[in-house]
Amino acid sequence: MSNASVFAALGDATRLKLVSRLQSGRHLSIAQLTRGLELTRQGVSKHLHVLEQAGLVSSKRVGRETRFRLRPDRIVRARDYLTRAAAQWDEAVERLKAAVEG
Amino acid sequence: MSNASVFAALGDATRLKLVSRLQSGRHLSIAQLTRGLELTRQGVSKHLHVLEQAGLVSSKRVGRETRFRLRPDRIVRARDYLTRAAAQWDEAVERLKAAVEG
DNA sequence: ACATCATGCAACCCTTTGGTTGCATGATTG
DNA sequence: CAATCATGCAACCAAAGGGTTGCATGATGT
């Protein structure tokens, strides 16, 4: 829920790949998402639940499979946090420069 | 250096606070950064080295203290990654909508 | 010189994490 | 109904993470 947990969820190469795969906008099953990732289905499943816990994806049971889709609102939230962080740093540095010259 | 490692570095509440504290643009010592964070100086030191390893901050020895400052280029890089991720998802969803209607 | 301050390094500890295997269960297909 | 497919759950394991304490060292202040 916090910004830190969202960044933590993105801080793993496998999970970044999963997010990347879900950028297609489609609902993908665990088996589909496992394809091409050199680890077990259960490993992928665990990663997906981490992403879901952080609010980055949502899941829906469809027949015998569980489909995951991206929920980009949290991604946008994290992006805005970084945008503000960089902007505040810029402003602070400008103020410091001015103070040194003055 | 990878995006994943930058996100991982940001994925901890203490380290986010350190980044926030460094948004002032100033060079701060470990002792200064420890103030107000309820944990040991060595704990803070470890976190700072994680941030430095990820390229988010840089350090410089000044007399008997080690000063850290923000290096926002990596932050901007991470922000751009998230911006592109959200944009690609948007486009893909639009294409899917069009395909369903067609 | 001496006391103090800021730090680094190493050892240690407990918890979390990333990964696996084995088995049970509910849906699908033939 | 039988076989198979997709998944969940639990146990387990090694490695990494976050934290501490103790000690050594180099810089500062008196």
Side-chain angles (χ1 to χ4, degrees), chain A residues 9-76:
Chain A
L10 293 172
D12 177 279
T14 301
R15 289 196 290 267
L16 267 192
K17 283 184 189 172
L18 288 171
V19 166
S20 157
R21 184 93 50 107
L22 287 170
Q23 285 176 16
S24 68
R26 294 184 303 177
H27 290 55
L28 299 178
S29 73
I30 298 179
Q32 287 175 321
L33 287 166
T34 302
R35 289 240 159 181
L37 290 186
E38 298 179 354
L39 85 155
T40 319
R41 170 185 60 86
Q42 284 85 345
V44 174
S45 182
K46 280 195 178 182
H47 281 301
L48 286 169
H49 284 103
V50 171
L51 288 172
E52 187 171 30
Q53 193 67 20
L56 289 167
V57 318
S58 68
S59 65
K60 181 176 63 169
R61 192 84 195 225
V62 175
R64 65 181 162 186
E65 54 191 16
T66 302
R67 303 254 185 85
F68 286 82
R69 79 185 208 291
L70 209 58
R71 246 185 63 184
D73 44 320
R74 297 278 175 187
I75 291 180
V76 169

Coordinates of all heavy atoms in Angstrom, one line a residue, chain A residues 9-76:
Chain A
A9 N 8.2 -4.1 -4.5 CA 7.6 -5.1 -5.4 C 8.3 -5.0 -6.8 O 8.5 -6.0 -7.5 CB 6.1 -4.9 -5.6
L10 N 8.6 -3.8 -7.2 CA 9.3 -3.6 -8.5 C 10.8 -3.9 -8.5 O 11.4 -4.0 -9.5 CB 9.1 -2.1 -9.0 CG 7.6 -1.7 -9.3 CD1 7.6 -0.2 -9.6 CD2 7.1 -2.5 -10.5
G11 N 11.3 -4.1 -7.3 CA 12.7 -4.2 -7.1 C 13.2 -5.6 -7.3 O 14.1 -6.1 -6.5
D12 N 12.7 -6.3 -8.2 CA 13.1 -7.7 -8.5 C 13.0 -7.9 -10.0 O 12.0 -7.6 -10.6 CB 12.2 -8.7 -7.8 CG 12.6 -10.2 -8.1 OD1 12.1 -10.6 -9.1 OD2 13.3 -10.8 -7.3
A13 N 14.1 -8.5 -10.6 CA 14.1 -8.6 -12.1 C 13.0 -9.4 -12.6 O 12.4 -9.1 -13.6 CB 15.5 -9.2 -12.5
T14 N 12.7 -10.5 -11.9 CA 11.6 -11.4 -12.4 C 10.3 -10.7 -12.4 O 9.5 -10.7 -13.3 CB 11.5 -12.7 -11.5 OG1 12.7 -13.4 -11.5 CG2 10.4 -13.6 -12.0
R15 N 10.0 -9.9 -11.3 CA 8.7 -9.2 -11.2 C 8.7 -8.1 -12.2 O 7.6 -7.8 -12.8 CB 8.5 -8.7 -9.8 CG 8.2 -9.8 -8.8 CD 7.7 -9.3 -7.5 NE 8.6 -8.6 -6.7 CZ 9.4 -9.1 -5.7 NH1 9.3 -10.4 -5.5 NH2 10.2 -8.4 -5.0
L16 N 9.8 -7.4 -12.5 CA 9.8 -6.4 -13.6 C 9.4 -7.0 -14.9 O 8.7 -6.5 -15.7 CB 11.1 -5.7 -13.6 CG 11.3 -4.4 -12.8 CD1 12.6 -3.7 -13.3 CD2 10.2 -3.5 -13.0
K17 N 9.9 -8.3 -15.1 CA 9.6 -8.9 -16.4 C 8.1 -9.3 -16.5 O 7.5 -9.1 -17.5 CB 10.4 -10.2 -16.5 CG 11.8 -10.0 -17.0 CD 12.5 -11.4 -17.2 CE 14.0 -11.2 -17.4 NZ 14.8 -12.5 -17.4
L18 N 7.6 -9.7 -15.3 CA 6.1 -10.0 -15.3 C 5.3 -8.7 -15.6 O 4.4 -8.7 -16.4 CB 5.7 -10.5 -13.9 CG 6.2 -12.0 -13.6 CD1 6.0 -12.4 -12.2 CD2 5.5 -13.0 -14.6
V19 N 5.7 -7.6 -15.0 CA 5.0 -6.3 -15.2 C 5.1 -6.0 -16.7 O 4.1 -5.6 -17.3 CB 5.6 -5.2 -14.4 CG1 5.1 -3.9 -14.9 CG2 5.2 -5.4 -12.9
S20 N 6.3 -6.2 -17.2 CA 6.5 -5.9 -18.7 C 5.6 -6.7 -19.5 O 5.0 -6.3 -20.5 CB 8.0 -6.1 -19.0 OG 8.2 -6.4 -20.4
R21 N 5.5 -8.0 -19.2 CA 4.7 -8.9 -19.9 C 3.2 -8.5 -19.9 O 2.4 -8.7 -20.8 CB 4.8 -10.4 -19.4 CG 4.1 -11.4 -20.1 CD 5.0 -12.1 -21.2 NE 6.3 -12.6 -20.8 CZ 6.6 -13.8 -20.6 NH1 5.7 -14.8 -20.7 NH2 7.9 -14.1 -20.3
L22 N 2.8 -8.0 -18.7 CA 1.4 -7.6 -18.6 C 1.1 -6.2 -19.2 O -0.1 -5.8 -19.2 CB 1.0 -7.6 -17.1 CG 0.9 -9.0 -16.4 CD1 0.8 -8.9 -14.9 CD2 -0.3 -9.7 -17.0
Q23 N 2.1 -5.5 -19.7 CA 1.8 -4.2 -20.3 C 1.1 -4.4 -21.6 O 0.6 -3.4 -22.2 CB 3.2 -3.5 -20.6 CG 3.8 -2.9 -19.4 CD 5.1 -2.3 -19.7 OE1 5.5 -2.0 -20.8 NE2 5.9 -2.0 -18.6
S24 N 0.9 -5.7 -22.1 CA 0.1 -5.9 -23.3 C -1.4 -5.6 -23.0 O -2.2 -5.4 -23.9 CB 0.2 -7.4 -23.7 OG -0.5 -8.2 -22.7
G25 N -1.7 -5.4 -21.7 CA -3.1 -5.0 -21.4 C -4.0 -6.2 -21.3 O -5.2 -6.1 -20.9
R26 N -3.5 -7.4 -21.6 CA -4.4 -8.6 -21.5 C -4.4 -9.3 -20.1 O -3.5 -9.0 -19.3 CB -3.9 -9.6 -22.6 CG -4.1 -9.1 -24.0 CD -3.7 -10.2 -25.0 NE -2.3 -10.7 -24.8 CZ -1.7 -11.6 -25.5 NH1 -2.4 -12.3 -26.4 NH2 -0.5 -12.0 -25.2
H27 N -5.4 -10.1 -19.9 CA -5.4 -11.0 -18.7 C -4.7 -12.3 -19.1 O -5.0 -13.0 -20.0 CB -6.9 -11.4 -18.4 CG -7.7 -10.2 -17.9 ND1 -7.8 -9.1 -18.6 CD2 -8.4 -10.1 -16.7 CE1 -8.6 -8.2 -17.9 NE2 -8.9 -8.8 -16.7
L28 N -3.6 -12.5 -18.3 CA -2.8 -13.7 -18.6 C -2.8 -14.7 -17.4 O -2.8 -14.2 -16.2 CB -1.3 -13.3 -18.9 CG -1.2 -12.4 -20.1 CD1 0.3 -12.0 -20.3 CD2 -1.7 -13.1 -21.4
S29 N -2.8 -16.0 -17.7 CA -2.8 -17.0 -16.6 C -1.4 -17.2 -16.1 O -0.4 -16.8 -16.7 CB -3.4 -18.3 -17.2 OG -2.4 -18.9 -18.0
I30 N -1.3 -17.9 -14.9 CA 0.0 -18.1 -14.3 C 0.8 -19.0 -15.3 O 2.0 -18.7 -15.5 CB -0.2 -18.8 -13.0 CG1 -1.0 -17.9 -12.0 CG2 1.1 -19.2 -12.4 CD1 -1.2 -18.5 -10.7
A31 N 0.2 -20.0 -15.9 CA 0.9 -20.9 -16.8 C 1.5 -20.1 -18.0 O 2.6 -20.2 -18.4 CB 0.0 -22.0 -17.3
Q32 N 0.7 -19.2 -18.5 CA 1.1 -18.3 -19.6 C 2.3 -17.4 -19.2 O 3.3 -17.3 -19.9 CB 0.0 -17.4 -20.1 CG -1.1 -18.2 -20.9 CD -2.3 -17.3 -21.3 OE1 -2.7 -16.5 -20.5 NE2 -2.8 -17.5 -22.5
L33 N 2.2 -16.9 -18.0 CA 3.2 -16.0 -17.5 C 4.5 -16.7 -17.2 O 5.6 -16.1 -17.2 CB 2.7 -15.2 -16.3 CG 1.7 -14.1 -16.6 CD1 1.0 -13.6 -15.4 CD2 2.3 -12.9 -17.3
T34 N 4.4 -18.0 -16.9 CA 5.6 -18.8 -16.6 C 6.4 -19.1 -17.8 O 7.6 -19.2 -17.7 CB 5.1 -20.1 -15.9 OG1 4.4 -19.8 -14.7 CG2 6.4 -20.9 -15.5
R35 N 5.7 -19.2 -19.0 CA 6.4 -19.4 -20.2 C 7.6 -18.5 -20.5 O 7.4 -17.3 -20.5 CB 5.5 -19.3 -21.4 CG 4.4 -20.5 -21.4 CD 4.6 -21.2 -22.7 NE 4.0 -22.5 -22.6 CZ 4.0 -23.4 -23.7 NH1 4.5 -23.0 -24.8 NH2 3.5 -24.6 -23.5
G36 N 8.8 -19.0 -20.7 CA 9.9 -18.2 -21.0 C 10.7 -17.7 -19.8 O 11.7 -17.1 -19.9
L37 N 10.1 -17.8 -18.6 CA 10.8 -17.4 -17.3 C 11.4 -18.7 -16.7 O 10.6 -19.6 -16.3 CB 9.8 -16.8 -16.3 CG 9.3 -15.4 -16.7 CD1 8.5 -14.9 -15.5 CD2 10.4 -14.5 -17.0
E38 N 12.7 -18.8 -16.6 CA 13.3 -20.0 -16.2 C 13.1 -20.3 -14.7 O 14.1 -20.3 -14.0 CB 14.7 -20.0 -16.6 CG 14.9 -19.9 -18.1 CD 16.4 -19.9 -18.5 OE1 17.3 -19.9 -17.6 OE2 16.7 -20.0 -19.7
L39 N 11.9 -20.4 -14.3 CA 11.7 -20.9 -12.9 C 10.3 -21.5 -12.8 O 9.5 -21.5 -13.8 CB 11.8 -19.8 -11.9 CG 10.7 -18.8 -11.6 CD1 10.9 -18.2 -10.2 CD2 10.6 -17.7 -12.6
T40 N 10.0 -22.2 -11.7 CA 8.8 -23.0 -11.5 C 7.6 -22.1 -11.5 O 7.6 -21.0 -11.3 CB 8.9 -23.7 -10.2 OG1 10.2 -24.1 -10.0 CG2 8.0 -24.9 -10.1
R41 N 6.4 -22.8 -11.9 CA 5.1 -22.2 -11.8 C 4.9 -21.6 -10.4 O 4.4 -20.4 -10.3 CB 4.1 -23.2 -12.1 CG 2.6 -22.7 -11.9 CD 1.6 -23.8 -12.1 NE 1.9 -25.0 -11.3 CZ 1.4 -25.1 -10.0 NH1 0.7 -24.2 -9.5 NH2 1.6 -26.2 -9.3
Q42 N 5.2 -22.3 -9.4 CA 5.0 -21.8 -8.0 C 5.8 -20.6 -7.7 O 5.4 -19.7 -7.0 CB 5.2 -22.9 -7.0 CG 4.1 -23.9 -6.9 CD 4.3 -25.0 -7.9 OE1 5.1 -24.9 -8.8 NE2 3.6 -26.1 -7.7
G43 N 7.0 -20.6 -8.3 CA 7.9 -19.4 -8.1 C 7.2 -18.2 -8.7 O 7.1 -17.1 -8.1
V44 N 6.7 -18.4 -9.9 CA 6.0 -17.3 -10.6 C 4.8 -16.9 -9.8 O 4.5 -15.7 -9.6 CB 5.6 -17.7 -12.0 CG1 4.8 -16.6 -12.7 CG2 6.9 -17.9 -12.9
S45 N 4.1 -17.9 -9.3 CA 2.9 -17.6 -8.5 C 3.2 -16.7 -7.3 O 2.5 -15.8 -7.0 CB 2.2 -18.9 -8.1 OG 1.0 -18.7 -7.4
K46 N 4.2 -17.1 -6.6 CA 4.6 -16.3 -5.5 C 4.9 -14.8 -5.9 O 4.4 -13.9 -5.2 CB 5.9 -16.8 -4.8 CG 5.6 -18.0 -3.9 CD 6.9 -18.3 -3.0 CE 6.6 -19.4 -2.0 NZ 7.8 -19.6 -1.2
H47 N 5.7 -14.6 -6.9 CA 6.0 -13.3 -7.4 C 4.7 -12.5 -7.7 O 4.5 -11.3 -7.4 CB 6.9 -13.3 -8.6 CG 8.3 -13.6 -8.3 ND1 9.0 -12.7 -7.5 CD2 9.2 -14.6 -8.6 CE1 10.3 -13.2 -7.3 NE2 10.4 -14.3 -8.0
L48 N 3.7 -13.2 -8.4 CA 2.5 -12.5 -8.7 C 1.7 -12.1 -7.5 O 1.1 -11.0 -7.5 CB 1.6 -13.5 -9.6 CG 2.1 -13.6 -11.0 CD1 1.4 -14.8 -11.7 CD2 2.0 -12.3 -11.8
H49 N 1.8 -12.9 -6.5 CA 1.1 -12.5 -5.2 C 1.8 -11.3 -4.6 O 1.1 -10.5 -3.9 CB 0.9 -13.7 -4.3 CG -0.2 -14.7 -4.8 ND1 0.1 -15.8 -5.4 CD2 -1.5 -14.5 -4.7 CE1 -1.0 -16.4 -5.7 NE2 -2.0 -15.7 -5.3
V50 N 3.1 -11.3 -4.7 CA 3.8 -10.1 -4.2 C 3.3 -8.8 -4.9 O 3.0 -7.8 -4.3 CB 5.3 -10.2 -4.3 CG1 6.0 -8.9 -4.0 CG2 5.8 -11.3 -3.4
L51 N 3.2 -8.9 -6.2 CA 2.8 -7.8 -7.0 C 1.3 -7.4 -6.7 O 1.0 -6.3 -6.6 CB 2.9 -8.1 -8.5 CG 4.3 -8.2 -9.1 CD1 4.3 -8.7 -10.5 CD2 4.9 -6.8 -9.1
E52 N 0.5 -8.5 -6.4 CA -0.9 -8.2 -6.1 C -1.0 -7.5 -4.7 O -1.8 -6.6 -4.5 CB -1.7 -9.5 -6.1 CG -3.2 -9.3 -5.9 CD -4.0 -10.6 -6.2 OE1 -3.4 -11.7 -5.9 OE2 -5.1 -10.5 -6.6
Q53 N -0.2 -8.0 -3.8 CA -0.2 -7.4 -2.4 C 0.2 -5.9 -2.5 O -0.3 -5.1 -1.7 CB 0.8 -8.2 -1.6 CG 0.7 -7.9 -0.1 CD -0.6 -8.4 0.5 OE1 -1.2 -9.3 -0.1 NE2 -1.0 -7.8 1.6
A54 N 1.1 -5.6 -3.4 CA 1.5 -4.2 -3.5 C 0.5 -3.4 -4.3 O 0.7 -2.2 -4.5 CB 2.9 -4.1 -4.2
G55 N -0.5 -4.1 -4.9 CA -1.5 -3.4 -5.6 C -1.2 -3.1 -7.1 O -1.9 -2.4 -7.8
L56 N -0.1 -3.7 -7.6 CA 0.3 -3.5 -8.9 C -0.5 -4.3 -10.0 O -0.6 -3.9 -11.1 CB 1.8 -3.7 -9.1 CG 2.7 -2.7 -8.4 CD1 4.1 -3.1 -8.3 CD2 2.6 -1.3 -9.1
V57 N -1.0 -5.4 -9.5 CA -1.8 -6.3 -10.4 C -3.0 -6.8 -9.7 O -3.1 -6.7 -8.4 CB -1.0 -7.5 -11.0 CG1 0.4 -7.1 -11.3 CG2 -1.0 -8.6 -10.0
S58 N -4.0 -7.2 -10.4 CA -5.2 -7.8 -9.8 C -5.4 -9.2 -10.4 O -5.0 -9.4 -11.6 CB -6.4 -6.9 -9.9 OG -6.8 -6.9 -11.2
S59 N -6.1 -10.1 -9.7 CA -6.3 -11.4 -10.3 C -7.8 -11.8 -10.3 O -8.6 -11.2 -9.5 CB -5.6 -12.5 -9.4 OG -6.1 -12.5 -8.1
K60 N -8.2 -12.6 -11.2 CA -9.6 -13.1 -11.3 C -9.6 -14.5 -11.7 O -8.9 -14.9 -12.7 CB -10.3 -12.2 -12.3 CG -11.8 -12.6 -12.5 CD -12.5 -11.6 -13.5 CE -11.9 -11.7 -14.9 NZ -12.7 -11.0 -15.9
R61 N -10.3 -15.4 -11.0 CA -10.4 -16.8 -11.3 C -11.3 -16.9 -12.5 O -12.5 -16.5 -12.5 CB -10.9 -17.6 -10.1 CG -10.8 -19.1 -10.3 CD -9.4 -19.5 -9.8 NE -9.1 -20.8 -10.3 CZ -8.6 -21.8 -9.5 NH1 -8.2 -21.5 -8.2 NH2 -8.3 -23.0 -9.9
V62 N -10.8 -17.6 -13.6 CA -11.7 -17.9 -14.8 C -11.5 -19.4 -15.1 O -10.5 -19.8 -15.6 CB -11.2 -17.0 -16.0 CG1 -11.9 -17.4 -17.2 CG2 -11.3 -15.6 -15.7
G63 N -12.6 -20.1 -14.7 CA -12.5 -21.5 -14.9 C -11.4 -22.1 -14.1 O -11.4 -21.9 -12.9
R64 N -10.5 -22.9 -14.7 CA -9.5 -23.5 -13.9 C -8.2 -22.7 -13.8 O -7.3 -23.0 -13.2 CB -9.2 -24.9 -14.4 CG -8.6 -24.8 -15.8 CD -8.3 -26.3 -16.3 NE -8.1 -26.3 -17.8 CZ -8.0 -27.4 -18.5 NH1 -8.0 -28.5 -17.9 NH2 -7.8 -27.3 -19.8
E65 N -8.3 -21.5 -14.4 CA -7.0 -20.7 -14.4 C -7.3 -19.4 -13.7 O -8.4 -18.9 -13.6 CB -6.4 -20.5 -15.8 CG -7.4 -19.9 -16.8 CD -6.8 -20.0 -18.2 OE1 -5.8 -20.7 -18.4 OE2 -7.3 -19.3 -19.1
T66 N -6.2 -18.8 -13.2 CA -6.2 -17.5 -12.5 C -5.6 -16.5 -13.4 O -4.4 -16.6 -13.7 CB -5.5 -17.6 -11.1 OG1 -6.1 -18.5 -10.3 CG2 -5.6 -16.2 -10.4
R67 N -6.3 -15.5 -13.8 CA -5.8 -14.5 -14.8 C -5.3 -13.3 -14.0 O -6.1 -12.8 -13.2 CB -6.9 -14.1 -15.8 CG -7.4 -15.3 -16.6 CD -6.9 -15.3 -18.0 NE -7.6 -16.4 -18.7 CZ -8.8 -16.3 -19.4 NH1 -9.4 -15.1 -19.3 NH2 -9.3 -17.3 -20.0
F68 N -4.2 -12.7 -14.4 CA -3.7 -11.5 -13.8 C -3.7 -10.4 -14.9 O -3.4 -10.6 -16.0 CB -2.3 -11.7 -13.3 CG -2.2 -12.5 -12.0 CD1 -2.3 -13.9 -12.1 CD2 -2.1 -11.9 -10.8 CE1 -2.2 -14.7 -10.9 CE2 -2.1 -12.6 -9.6 CZ -2.2 -14.0 -9.7
R69 N -4.0 -9.2 -14.4 CA -3.9 -8.0 -15.2 C -3.2 -6.9 -14.5 O -3.3 -6.8 -13.3 CB -5.3 -7.6 -15.7 CG -6.1 -6.8 -14.7 CD -7.5 -6.5 -15.3 NE -8.1 -5.3 -14.7 CZ -8.5 -5.1 -13.5 NH1 -8.3 -6.1 -12.6 NH2 -9.1 -4.0 -13.1
L70 N -2.6 -6.0 -15.2 CA -2.0 -4.8 -14.6 C -3.0 -3.8 -14.1 O -4.1 -3.7 -14.6 CB -1.1 -4.1 -15.7 CG 0.2 -3.4 -15.2 CD1 1.1 -4.4 -14.5 CD2 0.9 -2.8 -16.4
R71 N -2.6 -3.1 -13.0 CA -3.4 -2.1 -12.4 C -2.6 -0.9 -12.3 O -1.9 -0.6 -11.3 CB -3.9 -2.5 -11.0 CG -5.3 -2.8 -10.9 CD -5.7 -3.1 -9.4 NE -5.4 -2.0 -8.5 CZ -5.6 -2.0 -7.2 NH1 -6.0 -3.1 -6.7 NH2 -5.3 -1.0 -6.5
P72 N -2.5 -0.1 -13.4 CA -1.4 0.9 -13.5 C -1.5 2.1 -12.6 O -0.6 2.9 -12.5 CB -1.5 1.4 -14.9 CG -2.9 1.1 -15.3 CD -3.3 -0.1 -14.5
D73 N -2.7 2.2 -11.8 CA -2.8 3.4 -10.9 C -1.7 3.5 -9.9 O -1.1 4.6 -9.7 CB -4.2 3.3 -10.2 CG -4.5 1.9 -9.7 OD1 -4.2 1.0 -10.4 OD2 -5.0 1.8 -8.6
R74 N -1.2 2.3 -9.4 CA -0.1 2.4 -8.4 C 1.2 2.8 -9.1 O 2.0 3.4 -8.5 CB 0.0 1.0 -7.7 CG -1.1 0.6 -6.9 CD -1.1 1.2 -5.6 NE -2.3 0.8 -4.8 CZ -2.6 1.3 -3.7 NH1 -1.9 2.2 -3.1 NH2 -3.8 0.9 -3.1
I75 N 1.3 2.3 -10.3 CA 2.6 2.6 -11.1 C 2.6 4.1 -11.3 O 3.6 4.8 -11.1 CB 2.6 1.9 -12.4 CG1 2.8 0.4 -12.2 CG2 3.7 2.5 -13.3 CD1 2.8 -0.4 -13.4
V76 N 1.5 4.7 -11.6 CA 1.4 6.2 -11.8 C 1.7 6.9 -10.5 O 2.4 7.9 -10.5 CB 0.1 6.6 -12.4 CG1 -0.1 8.1 -12.4 CG2 -0.1 6.1 -13.8

